[in-house]
């Protein structure tokens, strides 16, 4: 029987974080100060991930995204992608900051990756360096180019807009999408940053982005699956696509089909869950596949109705984005 929660939502989509480490320190995600990483022994081994993925695929998961931290910093991730493919995962994708992508793209394709999302928060070199606290602008652009030259489709580029930092670039990003025929996605800034500086007035809403882009280039909505996070638009007069992801201004929890596995083997039913559920403990404690499957059914059943970002009593989760897996 497919996995479902008590609100009748079918769970078909798994995000796997393969590391909490990252070679960037994006201002909306990590802190400028060193954070405590998970201890090496706390991270799941590849065979532990594979076992959990096999159990979850047998329970109806058919869409898996490999993420982190930065997934490409963990050696062996290509072999893991191949293992996921061998399980029969239909839709296999990765989210990456793109820094190491150009040199790894061919191996990811050979491993069976279907598609890729690359983060790029500024088209201006100085601003990019200010946001990511790295000097890797050229490598990320090369990563996008390599993905476009590969069979990975679609290639999506993600930008988190933060008012006062990169909100002036909405139109430039739209031009970038048109020029390079890519899917450019704008993500609302969520209260998951390590420095806990998020405020509502820093959020650039999807409505504002839509209004600004369509004032220059008329947009047509594209039909999308209800469980998809992005509302999609094509340009009336050209190539490229726009995706608007509005978890703050238009929560899409009612159609959520996702669960998340953290790098230390915890299952999370929402980005904003107050608690997570320890599957590593079961794996390392000798639990059978049947016992783990039963635990997953019980955990999923308790999936939250929705996040509470817009409630007066909202408290951000103790884990921040880099430790959950976006
Ligand atoms: N390191 C990879 C990357 O940056 O693409 C994968 C992990 S990252 C946590 C996954 C996604 O989460 C990225 O698109 C990133 O921009 C987004 N993200 C991180 N912190 C966020 C926040 N506070 N609000 C909204 N999106 C965020
Ligand atoms: Fe690293 Fe991705 Fe977070 Fe940036 S958004 S710090 S690249 S995990």
């Amino acid at each position: 029987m497919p996995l479902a929660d008590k609100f009748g939502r079918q769970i078909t989509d798994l995000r796997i974080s393969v590391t909490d480490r990252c070679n960037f320190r994006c201002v909306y995600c990590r802190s400028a100060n060193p954070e405590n990483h998970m201890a090496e022994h706390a991270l799941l081994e590849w065979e532990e991930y594979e076992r959990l993925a096999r159990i979850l695929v047998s329970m109806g998961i058919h869409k898996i995204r490999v993420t982190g931290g930065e997934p490409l910093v963990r050696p062996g991730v290509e072999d893991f992608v191949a293992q996921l493919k061998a399980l029969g995962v239909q839709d296999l994708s990765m989210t990456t900051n793109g820094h190491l992508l150009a040199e790894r793209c061919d191996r990811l394709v050979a491993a069976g990756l279907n598609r890729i999302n690359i983060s790029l928060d500024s088209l201006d070199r100085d601003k990019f360096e200010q946001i990511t606290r790295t000097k890797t602008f050229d490598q990320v652009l090369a990563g996008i180019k390599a993905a476009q030259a590969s069979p990975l489709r679609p290639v999506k580029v993600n930008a988190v807009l933060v008012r006062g930092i990169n909100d002036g670039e909405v139109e430039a990003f739209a031009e970038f999408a048109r020029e390079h025929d890519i899917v450019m996605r704008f993500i609302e800034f969520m209260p998951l940053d390590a420095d806990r500086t998020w405020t509502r007035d820093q959020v650039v809403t999807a409505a504002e982005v839509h209004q600004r882009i369509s004032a220059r280039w008329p947009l047509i909505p594209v039909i999308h699956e209800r469980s998809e996070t992005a509302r999609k638009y094509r340009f009336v007069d050209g190539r490229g696509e726009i995706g608007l992801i509005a978890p703050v201004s238009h929560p899409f929890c009612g159609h959520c089909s996702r669960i998340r596995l953290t790098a230390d083997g915890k299952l999370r039913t929402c980005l904003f869950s107050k608690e997570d559920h320890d599957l590593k403990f079961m794996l390392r404690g000798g639990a059978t596949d049947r016992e783990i499957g039963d635990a997953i059914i019980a955990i999923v059943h308790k999936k939250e109705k929705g996040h509470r970002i817009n409630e007066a009593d909202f408290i951000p989760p103790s884990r921040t984005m880099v430790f959950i897996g976006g």
Side-chain angles (χ1 to χ4, degrees):
M1 212 177 55
L3 272 175
D5 68 14
K6 61 175 177 289
F7 303 103
R9 291 172 298 191
Q10 306 250 314
I11 304 303
T12 54
D13 180 346
L14 171 69
R15 308 243 166 142
I16 301 180
S17 172
V18 295
T19 180
D20 63 325
R21 279 131 170 103
C22 186
N23 44 5
F24 285 14
R25 281 190 179 278
C26 303
V27 291
Y28 54 75
C29 181
R30 296 186 66 196
S31 173
N33 305 310
E35 298 123 328
N36 292 326
H37 285 300
M38 295 169 186
E40 205 66 49
H41 68 268
L43 302 182
L44 288 186
E45 305 284 348
W46 290 123
E47 51 271 32
E48 293 175 318
Y49 279 116
E50 199 266 347
R51 183 174 169 208
L52 286 179
R54 183 165 40 75
I55 294 169
L56 282 155
V57 167
S58 76
M59 299 171 87
I61 294 289
H62 56 72
K63 195 169 170 185
I64 297 186
R65 173 172 298 281
V66 178
T67 183
E70 172 49 39
L72 293 178
V73 301
R74 184 152 179 193
V77 70
E78 292 91 344
D79 294 339
F80 179 54
V81 168
Q83 287 175 338
L84 293 175
K85 198 66 193 175
L87 294 176
V89 178
Q90 291 157 20
D91 184 343
L92 194 48
S93 60
M94 177 177 281
T95 303
T96 171
N97 61 29
H99 175 210
L100 301 171
L101 184 59
E103 64 209 62
R104 307 278 283 282
C105 198
D106 288 349
R107 286 172 60 194
L108 290 168
V109 170
L113 195 74
N114 299 120
R115 53 196 187 88
I116 197 142
N117 291 7
I118 305 159
S119 298
L120 176 69
D121 299 305
S122 181
L123 294 165
D124 174 271
R125 179 184 301 275
D126 293 340
K127 195 147 280 181
F128 174 91
E129 292 179 0
Q130 178 198 334
I131 294 172
T132 62
R133 299 164 168 138
T134 67
K135 292 191 183 296
T136 58
F137 186 63
D138 293 331
Q139 288 95 319
V140 175
L141 289 185
I144 295 173
K145 211 167 157 190
Q148 281 194 289
S150 81
L152 297 172
R153 285 296 178 277
V155 175
K156 298 182 183 172
V157 175
N158 290 342
V160 176
L161 294 175
V162 183
R163 177 96 51 213
I165 299 184
N166 58 354
D167 56 315
E169 291 192 64
V170 169
E171 293 81 0
F173 277 125
E175 266 185 305
F176 183 73
R178 289 164 61 85
E179 196 181 318
H180 298 282
D181 194 13
I182 55 164
V183 181
M184 185 70 227
R185 304 186 338 148
F186 298 91
I187 305 176
E188 288 178 352
F189 180 27
M190 292 182 274
L192 291 168
D193 56 312
D195 286 333
R196 304 295 192 194
T197 58
W198 181 91
T199 55
R200 193 165 290 275
D201 56 8
Q202 288 174 296
V203 178
V204 182
T205 64
E208 175 181 332
V209 175
H210 183 271
Q211 187 273 321
R212 282 170 57 181
I213 296 177
S214 56
R216 285 270 285 277
W217 302 282
L219 296 170
I220 323 172
V222 176
I223 307 290
H224 60 273
E225 281 177 38
R226 284 200 326 171
S227 62
E228 275 187 79
T229 50
R231 281 179 289 152
K232 303 190 210 174
Y233 300 87
R234 277 192 302 111
F235 295 99
V236 169
D237 67 340
R239 306 182 308 162
E241 189 180 297
I242 296 295
L244 303 178
I245 304 176
V248 181
S249 66
H250 272 94
F252 32 80
C253 309
H255 304 299
C256 182
S257 56
R258 274 170 297 284
I259 50 176
R260 295 180 144 81
L261 180 63
T262 65
D264 57 347
K266 308 281 170 62
L267 198 65
R268 288 180 72 84
T269 48
C270 176
L271 264 180
F272 293 92
S273 290
K274 287 272 179 300
E275 55 171 350
D276 38 32
H277 307 271
D278 198 350
L279 296 182
K280 184 182 67 187
F281 181 74
M282 296 191 77
L283 285 171
R284 295 187 183 174
T288 63
D289 287 2
R290 178 65 183 271
E291 286 164 343
I292 294 173
D294 286 346
I296 292 170
I297 291 171
I299 294 163
V300 164
H301 189 70
K302 291 193 286 191
K303 182 171 162 69
E304 302 78 345
K305 188 171 182 199
H307 69 58
R308 298 173 45 81
I309 300 177
N310 298 314
E311 307 296 321
D313 59 352
F314 170 74
I315 301 170
S318 52
R319 276 186 196 246
T320 58
M321 192 62 129
V322 73
F323 292 104
I324 299 173

